[in-house]
């Protein structure tokens, strides 16, 4: 190898090494809290306070699980079911609504279409915490405060999902296919349900995963809307127990174990649906 080739190869190797170091640091930054959560969930309360997490003694994961589902009359199980209803059903319905709206913005012409879509893009930049108080006042006027619907209905509408829906419709649904379906006598709803929606499958899964993550981690809206503990999602219930742990330390192990179980649905969803999600992220990248 000549000196010129060596001088050209050295910066390339240095760049790869730098990228590998940055990736390794990012992975550690992401996985270390999860590792701590896994280890802490297997320890007794005394082991937690002694910071003896790496020891093989005081293994108490089974007892922590039993205490978790027995604490306060089994409230955690109720919270878990509530979160599944809010997140899974809400994400599914919300994804269908978002993709349908995005499809309409891309495939149809109507007055002030781009101005309305501009409002959608503007709504993407509005923090959800800013909307909590107006949503509470609207729910109060409708008599929905402290009900399941006070949390479920607002999560069905996601401006970012509408934006993604339009991108996916543009990348996955050719206009020629829609025209062919109309020539064959299919109506607009039939064309969308039987032709376009099938082609939008990867996009639908991608929007669903974004919605699922956002709703599952939703905290502020349920805190504003709900006062009945039986309606709490996992995030709000664990926050309440964590606040009580400063007075009653027996809550610490169940909060940690409950937090570990709370991340499992998201991990499972991404593992099972990653093939569709990854293909959805490349929509329109290749023509």
């Amino acid at each position: 190898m000549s000196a010129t080739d060596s001088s050209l190869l050295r910066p390339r190797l240095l760049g790869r090494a730098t990228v590998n170091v940055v990736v390794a640091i990012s992975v550690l930054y992401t996985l270390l809290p999860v590792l701590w959560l896994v280890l802490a969930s297997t320890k007794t309360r005394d082991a937690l306070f002694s910071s003896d997490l790496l020891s093989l003694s005081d293994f108490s994961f089974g007892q922590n699980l039993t205490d978790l589902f027995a604490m306060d009359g089994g409230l955690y199980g109720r919270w878990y079911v509530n979160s599944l209803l809010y997140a899974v059903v809400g994400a599914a319905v919300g994804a269908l609504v978002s993709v349908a709206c995005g499809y309409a913005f891309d495939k149809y012409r109507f007055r002030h279409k781009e101005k309305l879509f501009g409002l959608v893009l503007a709504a993407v930049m509005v923090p959800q915490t800013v909307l909590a108080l107006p949503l509470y006042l609207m729910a109060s006027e409708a008599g929905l405060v402290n009900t399941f619907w006070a949390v479920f209905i607002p999560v069905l509408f996601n401006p970012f999902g509408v934006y993604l829906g339009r991108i996916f419709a543009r990348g996955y649904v050719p206009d020629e296919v829609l025209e062919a379906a109309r020539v064959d006598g299919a109506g607009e709803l039939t064309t969308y349900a039987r032709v376009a929606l099938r082609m939008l499958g990867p996009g639908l899964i991608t929007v669903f995963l974004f919605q699922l993550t956002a709703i599952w981690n939703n905290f502020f809206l349920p805190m504003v809307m709900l006062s009945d503990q039986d309606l709490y999602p996992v995030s709000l219930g664990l926050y309440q127990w964590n606040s009580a742990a400063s007075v009653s330390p027996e809550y610490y192990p169940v909060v940690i174990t409950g937090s570990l179980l709370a991340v499992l649905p998201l991990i499972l969803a991404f593992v099972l649906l990653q093939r569709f999600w990854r293909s959805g992220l490349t929509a329109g990248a290749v023509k």
Side-chain angles (χ1 to χ4, degrees):
M1 181 180 294
S2 65
T4 303
D5 293 337
S6 299
S7 61
L8 292 175
L9 184 60
R10 194 172 303 163
R12 185 180 303 174
L13 293 176
L14 182 61
R16 289 181 180 177
T18 303
V19 170
N20 290 335
V21 169
V22 171
V23 171
I25 293 175
S26 301
V27 170
L28 286 176
Y29 178 80
T30 303
L31 294 183
L32 282 178
V34 179
L35 178 62
W36 182 92
L37 192 62
V38 172
L39 294 175
S41 65
T42 65
K43 300 301 178 182
T44 63
R45 185 185 64 185
D46 294 335
L48 285 175
F49 286 114
S50 64
S51 300
D52 194 17
L53 296 182
L54 298 179
S55 173
L56 297 178
S57 61
D58 299 316
F59 185 85
S60 185
F61 183 70
Q63 185 60 45
N64 289 342
L65 277 178
T66 302
D67 294 340
L68 173 65
F69 287 98
M71 183 68 70
D72 292 346
L75 267 179
Y76 183 81
R78 182 67 178 268
W79 294 340
Y80 212 90
V81 172
N82 290 341
S83 287
L84 289 175
L85 289 175
Y86 291 135
V88 177
V89 180
V93 177
L96 288 171
V97 171
S98 296
V99 170
C101 292
Y103 172 85
F105 271 114
D106 183 62
K107 302 303 180 184
Y108 296 115
R109 295 181 180 179
F110 49 89
R111 293 184 60 187
H112 308 301
K113 182 177 79 169
E114 295 304 326
K115 292 180 180 178
L116 291 174
F117 191 70
L119 291 178
V120 172
L121 295 180
V124 172
M125 298 181 288
V126 178
Q128 293 300 309
T129 52
V130 175
L131 300 176
L133 181 57
L135 288 174
Y136 174 81
L137 295 176
M138 294 170 64
S140 179
E141 289 292 329
L144 297 178
V145 172
N146 201 31
T147 67
F148 170 85
W149 305 106
V151 176
F152 183 76
I153 293 176
V155 301
L156 300 180
F157 307 99
N158 181 11
F160 184 65
V162 176
Y163 167 75
L164 290 179
R166 185 174 187 179
I167 299 299
F168 290 130
R170 182 174 300 174
Y172 275 102
V173 185
D175 294 336
E176 295 79 8
V177 174
L178 300 181
E179 289 298 328
R182 291 169 183 142
V183 169
D184 289 339
E188 293 299 326
L189 289 178
T190 303
T191 300
Y192 174 71
R194 295 188 178 182
V195 179
L197 194 57
R198 294 183 181 182
M199 303 175 74
L200 286 169
L204 193 66
I205 295 298
T206 303
V207 176
F208 171 80
L209 287 174
F210 277 111
Q211 285 275 79
L212 179 71
T213 304
I215 300 171
W216 187 269
N217 295 323
N218 193 12
F219 169 78
F220 193 69
L221 181 64
M223 185 176 67
V224 171
M225 293 291 189
L226 303 176
S227 58
D228 185 358
Q229 291 187 3
D230 289 339
L231 297 173
Y232 283 2
V234 167
S235 57
L236 183 57
L238 290 177
Y239 171 78
Q240 186 184 51
W241 277 359
N242 188 57
S243 300
S246 58
V247 178
S248 304
E250 65 270 14
Y251 279 104
Y252 279 118
V254 298
V255 168
I256 293 172
T257 307
S259 299
L260 177 63
L261 294 185
V263 303
L264 294 182
L266 296 181
I267 296 175
L268 186 63
F270 274 87
V271 169
L272 294 178
L273 301 175
Q274 65 173 332
R275 178 168 62 91
F276 301 99
W277 176 58
R278 291 164 70 179
S279 64
L281 289 180
T282 59
V286 179
K287 289 291 186 181

